[in-house]
Amino acid sequence: VTEDPQVRALLDAETPAVTLVAKADLRHVERALRTTGAENLAMIQDTVAHLVAEGRRVFVDGEHFFDGYRQDPAYAAAVVETALAAGAEAMVLCDTNGGMLPSQVTAAITDLTARTGVGPERLGIHCQNDTSCAVANTVAAVEAGVRHFQGTANGYGERPGNADIFAVVANLQLKLGLPVLPAGCLEQMVRVSHAIAEIANIAPDTHQAYVGAAAFAHKAGLHASAIKVDPLLYNHVDPSVVGNDMRILVTEMAGRASVELKSRELGLDLAGHPETLSRVTRRVKELEAGGWSFEAADASFELLVRSELPEGAPARPFSLESYRVLVEHREDGSVMSEATVKIRVRGERVIATAEGNGPVNALDEALRVGLVRHYPELREFELADYKVRILDGSGGTDAVTRVLLEMADGAGRDWTTVGVHPNVVEASWHALVDAMTYGLARARV
């Protein structure tokens, strides 16, 4: 062991703790390592003992433990006993193939501790997510007495991934009452999850437990009616404890309660305007039936609500005379779009032209050229995201399309609008006009 370059490198790293990976499945020992079971145990013994003697905390990951335990429980148990007897702080039981279910994890740990006399507090758990049970398997192991668990941020990993560390920590702390994190850390969960997603250049999972944008989102009218009475009636925990927020989604299923709660969330109290509430609810249902969706388009929904209030919606920053978009495929293979808008701004007729890498980008740029002199705030706006969806029940190139457009400003604020039309450019235009109108109104509040 003292001559092995890999062991030497581990010591040279000068980390206080070292994690080793050891085969816990005799089939892998014989077929992958091409050695005997006895030699594998001897290597584990020698390596762990040497690192411990050098003052390191040692953890051993038992690769393929659960599959190995089902195949040959005596040998897998011998791997655990050898590593711990040599001085390992914990033996981590790995579901490397990710095929276990929670009841199987519990049964294996219970049987292992009975067979060996090893306390479960000296065991660890590492789960892959091939059965979508990695989080559940990890929690089951902790409930069986394991006190060391492994996972990855947002579950990132090979194949379907690993146990999501955020879901595991939240479950252990909020559901089992285990003090996993120091005080004040749990409410940073959403921020940290999204920051890591940004670093990894992976869009955050909207439906991720605890930290996803939809984790505490409600859209059914029945839910909304109960939430008006007590938000915890339809939330399994207070969203704020993990740094999240409850959201009310307005869809074709919206009732008056949904619309009222969503409006209140946006700072508009319709409780004292029953007729306005009825009109908005009716209007939402009509638009949703035509393909509009306000679930992710809060800015468009707010403009709709304000249009029904006595004071009215924010005035459009311009009126349209016409627009035109050209797409040019050039000889060198490049494709450019050119947009011309004819608008009236504060009584002045303005004609503006701009190029862009696509029709929507060109329209956006042309509008800015025509408006920025009157509305300098537009210099801080940027088109942050653009999504197009073909609506269900439509087909072919003449399908009705829905556009979601996200705009952001220099203050780090963003807002999303929606547009629907058989012509994708016209749908984009509706969303773009809403985005400009909403952004300018908010900039001047």
Side-chain angles (χ1 to χ4, degrees):
V1 175
T2 57
E3 305 295 325
D4 188 284
Q6 293 187 28
V7 174
R8 185 71 257 165
L10 291 173
L11 291 171
D12 289 343
E14 298 184 356
T15 57
V18 174
T19 299
L20 303 173
V21 177
K23 296 290 188 184
D25 185 335
L26 185 58
R27 296 168 300 175
H28 282 264
V29 171
E30 295 174 342
R31 300 174 195 175
L33 294 183
R34 297 184 181 181
T35 190
T36 65
E39 179 60 23
N40 183 55
L41 294 177
M43 289 190 290
I44 294 170
Q45 158 66 37
D46 293 347
T47 308
V48 172
H50 177 65
L51 292 172
V52 170
E54 292 290 332
R56 303 299 191 269
R57 298 173 63 195
V58 178
F59 299 84
V60 179
D61 284 5
E63 191 178 30
H64 297 284
F65 170 82
F66 289 99
D67 292 325
Y69 198 78
R70 287 196 292 189
Q71 181 70 21
D72 189 337
Y75 185 78
V79 171
V80 173
E81 290 177 308
T82 299
L84 294 176
E89 188 168 323
M91 180 70 193
V92 182
L93 313 180
C94 298
D95 183 19
T96 309
N97 290 339
M100 301 300 290
L101 299 177
S103 60
Q104 296 169 331
V105 169
T106 301
I109 293 172
T110 301
D111 189 74
L112 173 67
T113 56
R115 177 188 294 269
T116 62
V118 170
E121 69 279 357
R122 296 199 66 190
L123 301 176
I125 186 70
H126 171 107
C127 296
Q128 298 288 135
N129 200 37
D130 296 72
T131 57
S132 288
C133 288
V135 171
N137 288 342
T138 303
V139 173
V142 173
E143 288 186 300
V146 167
R147 286 297 176 264
H148 173 105
F149 63 89
Q150 298 177 359
T152 63
N154 300 323
Y156 297 150
E158 62 183 341
R159 306 191 313 278
N162 293 61
D164 177 4
I165 197 74
F166 299 116
V168 172
V169 167
N171 282 330
L172 296 182
Q173 189 146 335
L174 297 176
K175 304 300 184 179
L176 298 183
L178 299 176
V180 181
L181 297 177
C185 291
L186 193 64
E187 52 262 40
Q188 300 298 317
M189 188 172 289
V190 171
R191 182 187 64 79
V192 174
S193 170
H194 290 185
I196 292 174
E198 182 71 22
I199 293 169
N201 197 27
I202 298 174
D205 181 359
T206 301
H207 299 282
Q208 188 175 348
Y210 289 103
V211 299
F216 301 96
H218 306 274
K219 66 181 180 180
L222 180 62
H223 283 214
S225 296
I227 287 168
K228 280 183 63 180
V229 178
D230 183 352
L232 288 181
L233 289 174
Y234 274 100
N235 289 323
H236 67 102
V237 298
D238 180 351
S240 66
V241 301
V242 292
N244 212 334
D245 297 305
M246 186 181 74
R247 297 171 59 224
I248 300 297
L249 306 179
V250 178
T251 72
E252 74 284 351
M253 293 189 292
R256 290 168 58 91
S258 295
V259 171
E260 181 183 343
L261 282 170
K262 184 63 182 179
S263 299
R264 188 186 304 167
E265 180 184 311
L266 299 173
L268 303 170
D269 190 358
L270 297 183
H273 303 276
E275 293 183 1
T276 300
L277 181 57
S278 296
R279 288 197 303 272
V280 172
T281 304
R282 184 169 56 252
R283 184 69 177 138
V284 166
K285 290 180 179 292
E286 291 171 352
L287 289 171
E288 292 271 358
W292 294 72
S293 175
F294 296 99
E295 284 192 41
D298 284 359
S300 286
F301 177 74
E302 183 174 335
L303 290 175
L304 184 155
V305 174
R306 289 188 181 279
S307 71
E308 297 291 345
L309 290 172
E311 59 269 25
R316 297 289 185 185
F318 63 91
S319 60
L320 174 68
E321 184 177 308
S322 67
Y323 72 78
R324 179 180 62 189
V325 180
L326 302 175
V327 179
E328 181 182 6
H329 187 133
R330 295 172 179 168
E331 187 177 357
D332 62 1
S334 63
V335 179
M336 290 297 296
S337 296
E338 179 184 289
T340 299
V341 296
K342 298 178 182 179
I343 55 179
R344 289 194 173 274
V345 188
R346 294 175 175 171
E348 176 186 348
R349 186 172 186 261
V350 177
I351 301 175
T353 300
E355 289 185 333
N357 56 18
V360 180
N361 179 232
L363 272 175
D364 182 32
E365 293 295 333
L367 265 180
R368 291 169 188 270
V369 170
L371 294 173
V372 73
R373 182 165 57 86
H374 295 277
Y375 304 102
E377 302 95 325
L378 284 173
R379 293 190 180 94
E380 301 297 321
F381 293 5
E382 64 176 19
L383 191 59
D385 199 7
Y386 175 79
K387 299 184 182 74
V388 178
R389 180 179 175 185
I390 304 299
L391 298 186
D392 294 340
S394 303
T397 56
D398 62 344
V400 174
T401 55
R402 177 192 299 144
V403 167
L404 286 174
L405 188 151
E406 182 182 342
M407 194 79 78
D409 63 16
R413 299 175 298 186
D414 58 76
W415 56 97
T416 304
T417 54
V418 62
V420 174
H421 198 273
N423 185 305
V424 65
V425 177
E426 179 66 10
S428 303
W429 173 262
H430 289 307
L432 186 60
V433 172
D434 267 9
M436 296 279 192
T437 302
Y438 180 86
L440 288 172
R442 189 164 68 171
R444 298 193 168 193
V445 172

